[in-house]
Amino acid sequence: VIDFDLLYGHPLSQPCALWERCDSHCCTMGRRFLRFDPQTPLVALPIPAPEYAYLRGLAPGGAQWPEAPRAIELELRGYSLRLYMQPCNFGGACEGALRPAICRLYPYVPLIDDDLRLGGLIHASALDLVWEPGADDDPCLMRRAEETRRYVELMRDLIGKLARAPENLELLLWFNLAYRYLEAFRDYLGENLAEGAAGEGSEEQTHILHLCNRTQLFLADPEFRGRLDAEVERMQRWRS
Ligand code: SF4
Ligand code: SF4
């Protein structure tokens, strides 16, 4: 069984105290797209089925969100996973103990290398990928240099502790699958922004981001699927 207690109790999982200074950007980023689609939730949270079950156990009577999640079946080479996309419209006013892993990892998702060490970081939300790492206009204050250094220390500690138990390697695989998804989204967004020649922070740029988020054509690209398969193979190497 994956040790969610370890992840949820780790210092990296502490709620961010800077929300008043960024207007709760990470819990409300979907509001930028409401003018293109009034049904857009403030946030859509990816939660693997085993974690969803764990969260239900923490909140007797069901998970904390009133909205129904959308289920996605992920079939990779030798590995399958049900992923729930959970709309969240709390805007930051959720029950802190019931935040899923993606909210705890924010503002980054890690890539774990063959030696079970931190191999890279990427912005934790596809909608945040319009900002380059270290950009002055990035609304998330936790991605500044000093906060990022602290994050890296904590993430290395978390990975080291999780990697001690073979059952947790699947959780590290999820991190890597999320990283590969975000990496591919960043490339897809880059191609479409270049074609649209949108100005930084413009209405046009926001619209292109919204359309990229809706279409996500790269999901069916064999090259992208190959990158996900390679992460499953990496987990098998960790296990051997
Ligand atoms: S993690 Fe970033 S976006 Fe979220 S509340 Fe903190 S500073 Fe704001
Ligand atoms: S669950 Fe809480 S922390 Fe996560 S997006 Fe929703 S309001 Fe924000």
Side-chain angles (χ1 to χ4, degrees):
V1 179
I2 293 171
D3 191 350
F4 289 110
D5 288 348
L6 172 57
L7 171 63
Y8 280 33
H10 191 271
L12 189 90
S13 283
Q14 290 297 310
C16 175
L18 302 178
W19 57 274
E20 281 179 301
R21 292 170 55 193
C22 67
D23 202 14
S24 296
H25 162 76
C26 54
C27 298
T28 61
M29 59 182 77
R31 64 187 167 188
R32 298 163 61 203
F33 306 103
L34 289 174
R35 62 184 180 278
F36 306 119
D37 178 2
Q39 304 303 317
T40 306
L42 289 180
V43 183
L45 302 168
I47 307 176
E51 186 187 10
Y52 211 88
Y54 174 80
L55 280 166
R56 282 184 179 276
L58 293 182
Q64 64 168 333
W65 301 275
E67 300 88 350
R70 179 170 63 94
I72 297 172
E73 303 295 341
L74 201 57
E75 295 295 338
L76 302 173
R77 195 179 300 152
Y79 181 74
S80 56
L81 176 69
R82 171 174 284 207
L83 185 67
Y84 289 110
M85 294 305 294
Q86 176 62 60
C88 177
N89 288 302
F90 289 129
C94 63
E95 178 66 52
L98 302 180
R99 288 171 300 126
I102 188 66
C103 303
R104 296 164 188 271
L105 295 181
Y106 192 94
Y108 296 111
V109 162
L111 181 73
I112 320 299
D113 69 14
D114 277 352
D115 299 319
L116 285 163
R117 300 231 167 89
L118 178 62
L121 290 176
I122 194 166
H123 292 11
S125 165
L127 305 187
D128 276 356
L129 291 166
V130 285
W131 291 286
E132 296 290 331
D136 288 343
D137 58 347
D138 187 338
C140 178
L141 305 170
M142 291 300 285
R143 281 194 285 253
R144 294 177 305 192
E146 192 183 329
E147 283 74 14
T148 296
R149 270 193 293 279
R150 181 168 178 276
Y151 184 99
V152 166
E153 278 174 28
L154 290 173
M155 179 55 82
R156 286 192 174 127
D157 182 74
L158 174 63
I159 293 167
K161 286 178 173 148
L162 286 170
R164 282 179 205 151
E167 307 79 53
N168 294 331
L169 296 178
E170 189 178 2
L171 178 59
L172 300 182
L173 167 67
W174 297 344
F175 292 174
N176 282 6
L177 295 178
Y179 184 100
R180 293 302 181 202
Y181 163 77
L182 290 159
E183 178 184 59
F185 190 97
R186 184 184 58 196
D187 294 346
Y188 181 61
L189 182 62
E191 288 161 17
N192 283 282
L193 283 175
E195 282 171 20
E200 185 89 4
S202 66
E203 168 109 351
E204 188 190 355
Q205 187 196 60
T206 308
H207 195 200
I208 290 173
L209 176 59
H210 171 68
L211 292 174
C212 285
N213 194 39
R214 289 291 296 271
T215 53
Q216 307 214 16
L217 296 178
F218 65 91
L219 293 178
D221 184 339
E223 200 272 331
F224 169 66
R225 307 292 298 191
R227 284 196 230 174
L228 300 186
D229 288 340
E231 293 305 334
V232 175
E233 286 162 11
R234 195 202 304 262
M235 178 176 70
Q236 286 154 358
R237 287 199 297 280
W238 290 337
R239 284 181 167 160
S240 61

Tab-separated table of all heavy atoms in Angstrom, residues 182-212:
chain	number	residue	atom	x	y	z
A	182	LEU	N	3.205	17.280	-18.457
A	182	LEU	CA	3.409	18.734	-18.423
A	182	LEU	C	4.468	19.162	-19.444
A	182	LEU	O	4.322	20.192	-20.110
A	182	LEU	CB	3.812	19.166	-17.009
A	182	LEU	CG	2.679	19.049	-15.984
A	182	LEU	CD1	3.234	18.989	-14.564
A	182	LEU	CD2	1.699	20.216	-16.123
A	183	GLU	N	5.499	18.354	-19.580
A	183	GLU	CA	6.560	18.638	-20.555
A	183	GLU	C	5.975	18.661	-21.979
A	183	GLU	O	6.274	19.568	-22.776
A	183	GLU	CB	7.598	17.522	-20.416
A	183	GLU	CG	8.766	17.563	-21.332
A	183	GLU	CD	9.613	16.307	-21.104
A	183	GLU	OE1	9.100	15.174	-21.269
A	183	GLU	OE2	10.778	16.468	-20.751
A	184	ALA	N	5.118	17.662	-22.280
A	184	ALA	CA	4.521	17.604	-23.614
A	184	ALA	C	3.541	18.762	-23.820
A	184	ALA	O	3.461	19.329	-24.914
A	184	ALA	CB	3.809	16.259	-23.798
A	185	PHE	N	2.808	19.123	-22.770
A	185	PHE	CA	1.890	20.258	-22.883
A	185	PHE	C	2.678	21.538	-23.154
A	185	PHE	O	2.271	22.373	-23.957
A	185	PHE	CB	1.047	20.413	-21.604
A	185	PHE	CG	-0.068	21.412	-21.755
A	185	PHE	CD1	-1.356	20.991	-22.052
A	185	PHE	CD2	0.164	22.775	-21.631
A	185	PHE	CE1	-2.380	21.912	-22.213
A	185	PHE	CE2	-0.852	23.700	-21.790
A	185	PHE	CZ	-2.134	23.265	-22.082
A	186	ARG	N	3.810	21.687	-22.474
A	186	ARG	CA	4.638	22.891	-22.673
A	186	ARG	C	5.102	22.994	-24.134
A	186	ARG	O	5.043	24.077	-24.741
A	186	ARG	CB	5.852	22.826	-21.743
A	186	ARG	CG	6.728	24.063	-21.786
A	186	ARG	CD	7.957	23.883	-20.914
A	186	ARG	NE	8.730	22.713	-21.353
A	186	ARG	CZ	9.669	22.120	-20.615
A	186	ARG	NH1	9.947	22.560	-19.415
A	186	ARG	NH2	10.322	21.075	-21.088
A	187	ASP	N	5.498	21.856	-24.724
A	187	ASP	CA	5.926	21.869	-26.133
A	187	ASP	C	4.748	22.226	-27.046
A	187	ASP	O	4.885	23.003	-27.991
A	187	ASP	CB	6.492	20.502	-26.533
A	187	ASP	CG	7.772	20.184	-25.779
A	187	ASP	OD1	8.347	21.106	-25.168
A	187	ASP	OD2	8.194	19.007	-25.795
A	188	TYR	N	3.605	21.612	-26.762
A	188	TYR	CA	2.388	21.839	-27.566
A	188	TYR	C	1.973	23.319	-27.492
A	188	TYR	O	1.669	23.952	-28.508
A	188	TYR	CB	1.303	20.945	-26.986
A	188	TYR	CG	-0.049	20.964	-27.652
A	188	TYR	CD1	-0.212	20.598	-28.974
A	188	TYR	CD2	-1.185	21.319	-26.918
A	188	TYR	CE1	-1.466	20.583	-29.561
A	188	TYR	CE2	-2.446	21.293	-27.499
A	188	TYR	CZ	-2.571	20.925	-28.818
A	188	TYR	OH	-3.810	20.908	-29.392
A	189	LEU	N	2.028	23.840	-26.303
A	189	LEU	CA	1.683	25.251	-26.104
A	189	LEU	C	2.681	26.140	-26.856
A	189	LEU	O	2.292	27.105	-27.521
A	189	LEU	CB	1.721	25.554	-24.603
A	189	LEU	CG	1.347	26.951	-24.153
A	189	LEU	CD1	-0.095	27.273	-24.522
A	189	LEU	CD2	1.529	27.079	-22.635
A	190	GLY	N	3.962	25.776	-26.758
A	190	GLY	CA	4.991	26.567	-27.433
A	190	GLY	C	4.753	26.631	-28.931
A	190	GLY	O	4.851	27.691	-29.548
A	191	GLU	N	4.400	25.485	-29.534
A	191	GLU	CA	4.138	25.455	-30.987
A	191	GLU	C	2.948	26.335	-31.333
A	191	GLU	O	2.991	27.093	-32.300
A	191	GLU	CB	3.810	24.026	-31.433
A	191	GLU	CG	4.997	23.089	-31.437
A	191	GLU	CD	4.549	21.627	-31.414
A	191	GLU	OE1	3.366	21.354	-31.723
A	191	GLU	OE2	5.386	20.779	-31.054
A	192	ASN	N	1.903	26.258	-30.547
A	192	ASN	CA	0.688	27.012	-30.870
A	192	ASN	C	0.835	28.495	-30.585
A	192	ASN	O	0.293	29.323	-31.308
A	192	ASN	CB	-0.503	26.423	-30.111
A	192	ASN	CG	-0.983	25.141	-30.752
A	192	ASN	OD1	-1.660	25.150	-31.760
A	192	ASN	ND2	-0.579	24.012	-30.177
A	193	LEU	N	1.591	28.834	-29.558
A	193	LEU	CA	1.817	30.267	-29.291
A	193	LEU	C	2.674	30.860	-30.390
A	193	LEU	O	2.453	31.986	-30.821
A	193	LEU	CB	2.497	30.451	-27.935
A	193	LEU	CG	1.599	30.294	-26.708
A	193	LEU	CD1	2.417	30.377	-25.425
A	193	LEU	CD2	0.502	31.351	-26.684
A	194	ALA	N	3.650	30.086	-30.894
A	194	ALA	CA	4.503	30.594	-31.966
A	194	ALA	C	3.671	30.843	-33.215
A	194	ALA	O	3.785	31.888	-33.853
A	194	ALA	CB	5.622	29.596	-32.253
A	195	GLU	N	2.780	29.892	-33.525
A	195	GLU	CA	1.937	30.059	-34.716
A	195	GLU	C	1.009	31.247	-34.567
A	195	GLU	O	0.782	32.007	-35.487
A	195	GLU	CB	1.097	28.798	-34.943
A	195	GLU	CG	1.888	27.678	-35.581
A	195	GLU	CD	1.112	26.377	-35.609
A	195	GLU	OE1	-0.124	26.429	-35.491
A	195	GLU	OE2	1.760	25.333	-35.727
A	196	GLY	N	0.468	31.425	-33.379
A	196	GLY	CA	-0.473	32.524	-33.149
A	196	GLY	C	0.207	33.862	-32.955
A	196	GLY	O	-0.446	34.896	-32.999
A	197	ALA	N	1.538	33.856	-32.719
A	197	ALA	CA	2.299	35.085	-32.497
A	197	ALA	C	1.626	35.970	-31.456
A	197	ALA	O	1.511	37.183	-31.605
A	197	ALA	CB	2.487	35.854	-33.804
A	198	ALA	N	1.132	35.339	-30.383
A	198	ALA	CA	0.412	36.104	-29.358
A	198	ALA	C	1.390	36.878	-28.487
A	198	ALA	O	2.495	36.437	-28.233
A	198	ALA	CB	-0.385	35.141	-28.490
A	199	GLY	N	0.973	38.041	-28.044
A	199	GLY	CA	1.805	38.852	-27.149
A	199	GLY	C	1.733	38.325	-25.732
A	199	GLY	O	0.742	37.731	-25.318
A	200	GLU	N	2.810	38.520	-25.000
A	200	GLU	CA	2.914	38.074	-23.611
A	200	GLU	C	1.780	38.637	-22.764
A	200	GLU	O	1.573	39.860	-22.738
A	200	GLU	CB	4.263	38.556	-23.053
A	200	GLU	CG	4.581	38.091	-21.682
A	200	GLU	CD	5.302	36.758	-21.695
A	200	GLU	OE1	5.608	36.256	-22.781
A	200	GLU	OE2	5.521	36.238	-20.609
A	201	GLY	N	1.029	37.766	-22.088
A	201	GLY	CA	-0.033	38.218	-21.194
A	201	GLY	C	-1.260	38.765	-21.899
A	201	GLY	O	-2.170	39.298	-21.263
A	202	SER	N	-1.322	38.659	-23.230
A	202	SER	CA	-2.439	39.243	-23.983
A	202	SER	C	-3.681	38.359	-23.910
A	202	SER	O	-3.597	37.175	-23.563
A	202	SER	CB	-2.044	39.420	-25.447
A	202	SER	OG	-1.841	38.144	-26.036
A	203	GLU	N	-4.812	38.945	-24.299
A	203	GLU	CA	-6.059	38.186	-24.389
A	203	GLU	C	-5.898	37.033	-25.373
A	203	GLU	O	-6.373	35.929	-25.149
A	203	GLU	CB	-7.171	39.143	-24.850
A	203	GLU	CG	-8.445	38.466	-25.258
A	203	GLU	CD	-9.562	38.695	-24.266
A	203	GLU	OE1	-9.291	39.234	-23.181
A	203	GLU	OE2	-10.705	38.326	-24.594
A	204	GLU	N	-5.169	37.301	-26.468
A	204	GLU	CA	-4.967	36.266	-27.485
A	204	GLU	C	-4.164	35.099	-26.901
A	204	GLU	O	-4.477	33.932	-27.141
A	204	GLU	CB	-4.240	36.864	-28.698
A	204	GLU	CG	-4.164	35.896	-29.872
A	204	GLU	CD	-3.232	36.383	-30.980
A	204	GLU	OE1	-2.725	37.510	-30.872
A	204	GLU	OE2	-3.014	35.610	-31.923
A	205	GLN	N	-3.145	35.416	-26.123
A	205	GLN	CA	-2.335	34.357	-25.517
A	205	GLN	C	-3.197	33.505	-24.577
A	205	GLN	O	-3.115	32.279	-24.569
A	205	GLN	CB	-1.165	34.951	-24.737
A	205	GLN	CG	-0.215	33.884	-24.230
A	205	GLN	CD	0.718	34.405	-23.158
A	205	GLN	OE1	0.284	34.857	-22.106
A	205	GLN	NE2	2.015	34.342	-23.418
A	206	THR	N	-4.043	34.171	-23.784
A	206	THR	CA	-4.912	33.442	-22.858
A	206	THR	C	-5.878	32.549	-23.622
A	206	THR	O	-6.156	31.420	-23.223
A	206	THR	CB	-5.685	34.431	-21.967
A	206	THR	OG1	-4.752	35.320	-21.367
A	206	THR	CG2	-6.470	33.722	-20.886
A	207	HIS	N	-6.371	33.051	-24.761
A	207	HIS	CA	-7.304	32.256	-25.560
A	207	HIS	C	-6.601	31.027	-26.140
A	207	HIS	O	-7.147	29.916	-26.137
A	207	HIS	CB	-7.900	33.127	-26.682
A	207	HIS	CG	-9.111	32.508	-27.307
A	207	HIS	ND1	-9.584	32.866	-28.545
A	207	HIS	CD2	-9.939	31.532	-26.865
A	207	HIS	CE1	-10.646	32.125	-28.831
A	207	HIS	NE2	-10.890	31.314	-27.821
A	208	ILE	N	-5.370	31.200	-26.637
A	208	ILE	CA	-4.617	30.065	-27.180
A	208	ILE	C	-4.361	29.035	-26.081
A	208	ILE	O	-4.504	27.827	-26.289
A	208	ILE	CB	-3.289	30.550	-27.818
A	208	ILE	CG1	-3.600	31.333	-29.099
A	208	ILE	CG2	-2.368	29.368	-28.138
A	208	ILE	CD1	-2.403	32.010	-29.719
A	209	LEU	N	-4.019	29.511	-24.893
A	209	LEU	CA	-3.805	28.599	-23.761
A	209	LEU	C	-5.080	27.803	-23.476
A	209	LEU	O	-5.044	26.582	-23.260
A	209	LEU	CB	-3.371	29.399	-22.530
A	209	LEU	CG	-3.197	28.639	-21.225
A	209	LEU	CD1	-2.163	27.528	-21.354
A	209	LEU	CD2	-2.782	29.596	-20.104
A	210	HIS	N	-6.203	28.489	-23.478
A	210	HIS	CA	-7.492	27.833	-23.244
A	210	HIS	C	-7.755	26.772	-24.316
A	210	HIS	O	-8.149	25.634	-23.994
A	210	HIS	CB	-8.599	28.895	-23.251
A	210	HIS	CG	-9.975	28.324	-23.237
A	210	HIS	ND1	-10.493	27.652	-22.162
A	210	HIS	CD2	-10.946	28.308	-24.190
A	210	HIS	CE1	-11.722	27.250	-22.433
A	210	HIS	NE2	-12.016	27.638	-23.662
A	211	LEU	N	-7.518	27.118	-25.586
A	211	LEU	CA	-7.764	26.156	-26.675
A	211	LEU	C	-6.811	24.959	-26.579
A	211	LEU	O	-7.221	23.818	-26.796
A	211	LEU	CB	-7.615	26.857	-28.040
A	211	LEU	CG	-8.695	27.892	-28.350
A	211	LEU	CD1	-8.381	28.628	-29.647
A	211	LEU	CD2	-10.075	27.243	-28.426
A	212	CYS	N	-5.550	25.218	-26.235
A	212	CYS	CA	-4.596	24.111	-26.060
A	212	CYS	C	-5.072	23.191	-24.958
A	212	CYS	O	-4.990	21.959	-25.063
A	212	CYS	CB	-3.204	24.657	-25.720
A	212	CYS	SG	-2.351	25.372	-27.125
